[in-house]
Amino acid sequence: MRLACTDILSYPSPVETFAERVRRLKERRGVTVEEIAIACTVTEPTVYGWLKTTMPRNNHLASLATFLDVTVDHLVHGDRSETRDEIVQELRTLVPQLSNYQLTVLLMTAKEFAKKGQ
């Protein structure tokens, strides 16, 4: 059975695992396993484990997130998480109550965070 391009596009994208996220962030930052190991005060085999299947301990997870310049929530859950969805929903309810000045400050802050997340 052959799939048309439109059939492929309609399939849900696979969920990215923790290891896949770490590999992607490692490549995006252009860092080595050795650099990650030094930053997280672990051995290189430990980092290789993270890149395959194992999860870091909480203290190492925080160090890894800091080193890769992302949140722990992003490392563990990816872009979509219940907490993130709750925050976005709460922002949607609060925005209509804000003044133009407050909206401008919120927008400028969000743009700065977005720049740093790239």
Side-chain angles (χ1 to χ4, degrees), residues 69-85:
D69 197 27
V70 295
T71 64
V72 170
D73 185 58
H74 176 75
L75 274 182
V76 175
H77 302 290
D79 289 330
R80 305 287 299 170
S81 71
E82 288 182 34
T83 304
R84 179 182 169 81
D85 291 342

Side-chain angles (χ1 to χ4, degrees), residues 20-67:
E20 290 167 336
R21 265 189 297 286
V22 174
R23 285 194 302 266
R24 178 178 47 79
L25 292 165
K26 174 187 168 296
E27 289 173 16
R28 185 180 80 188
R29 294 247 358 246
V31 296
T32 66
V33 168
E34 180 184 14
E35 291 170 317
I36 294 172
I38 291 168
C40 297
T41 62
V42 296
T43 64
E44 289 182 36
T46 298
V47 175
Y48 281 115
W50 299 345
L51 296 171
K52 291 182 181 176
T53 57
T54 61
M55 284 288 291
R57 294 183 180 147
N58 287 342
N59 60 324
H60 296 136
L61 193 57
S63 299
L64 180 61
T66 300
F67 181 73

